[in-house]
Amino acid sequence: MVALVPAEAHGDERGALLNFVEVQRAAIRRSLLGLSEEQAASRPSASELSLSGLLKHVAEVELNWLRLAQQRPNERQRSRETWSEGFRLVDGETIPEIVAFWAGVAKETEDFVRSVPSLDDTFPLPEAPWFPEGGRVSVRWMLLHLVQEGARHAGHADIIRESIDGKGSFELIAAEQGQG
């Protein structure tokens, strides 16, 4: 997977947006390449973030937005008391399990996005201090938000990974492609 979405790879707006989301997913997954569970759980910077925690967080955030768009309950919804568990692996969770979980969420996201009649279809936002009262967003907005969320955390992942062993994103891309 390259770091840029090829212009001809998407076909239409839905495909383009889904490809941009996937590039960010891949960057976060790639940040874990070759690391042990212990290394991935380490917090080598002043931040409380770890690579495995970021992986879990972005997977759960994507599921949350998907469930909001589907107007279905989120089976992994976190309470204020368990919110911090969304940023670290707990109860024997492993990186391969979280990667597989996220792959399932990604497939479900793609299937949902491809099934909605229009990217302009909207869904309500829950009541929360950070959302406007009675707010609604479109499926297109959700996809753009997933790109934004993924890019923010892919940047975090780059810094954390470089702090662990000095490997940057381009070096990891080369390694992923068997060139490193």
Side-chain angles (χ1 to χ4, degrees):
M1 169 67 72
V2 296
L4 299 174
V5 175
E8 66 282 354
H10 51 76
D12 63 4
E13 183 183 15
R14 288 173 206 248
L17 290 169
L18 288 166
N19 276 313
F20 273 88
V21 171
E22 178 54 31
V23 164
Q24 300 311 319
R25 288 185 195 120
I28 293 167
R29 289 190 311 264
R30 190 181 312 109
S31 72
L32 293 142
L33 191 64
L35 296 180
S36 67
E37 294 272 346
E38 183 179 61
Q39 287 172 306
S42 70
R43 298 186 324 249
S45 69
S47 171
E48 290 290 315
L49 297 175
S50 70
L51 292 174
S52 58
L54 280 173
L55 177 75
K56 181 177 177 180
H57 170 70
V58 293
E60 289 186 349
V61 164
E62 183 171 338
L63 177 65
N64 190 56
W65 280 106
L66 177 62
R67 292 295 181 257
L68 287 171
Q70 294 170 325
Q71 298 183 49
R72 291 178 39 200
N74 180 353
E75 59 274 18
R76 289 178 72 123
Q77 185 69 43
R78 297 205 173 273
S79 67
R80 287 187 188 267
E81 294 78 31
T82 63
W83 181 82
S84 66
E85 291 179 6
F87 285 92
R88 67 183 190 283
L89 304 190
V90 296
D91 300 328
E93 292 174 325
T94 66
I95 291 168
E97 289 171 352
I98 300 299
V99 168
F101 161 69
W102 198 12
V105 172
K107 171 82 168 87
E108 193 176 343
T109 298
E110 179 166 352
D111 291 347
F112 173 76
V113 168
R114 294 205 181 277
S115 74
V116 294
S118 171
L119 293 178
D120 293 325
D121 288 0
T122 64
F123 55 92
L125 295 172
E127 289 187 30
W130 46 87
F131 291 137
E133 188 175 325
R136 297 182 71 83
V137 294
S138 68
V139 174
R140 178 184 294 103
W141 184 96
M142 177 191 76
L143 288 168
L144 290 167
H145 179 71
L146 290 175
V147 171
Q148 176 190 31
E149 179 86 9
R152 174 185 300 119
H153 292 313
H156 293 141
D158 284 344
I159 291 167
I160 295 168
R161 178 59 190 254
E162 287 179 29
S163 297
I164 292 171
D165 65 3
K167 290 186 179 174
S169 60
F170 291 117
E171 187 176 356
L172 292 170
I173 290 168
E176 182 181 55
Q177 295 175 350
Q179 300 170 6

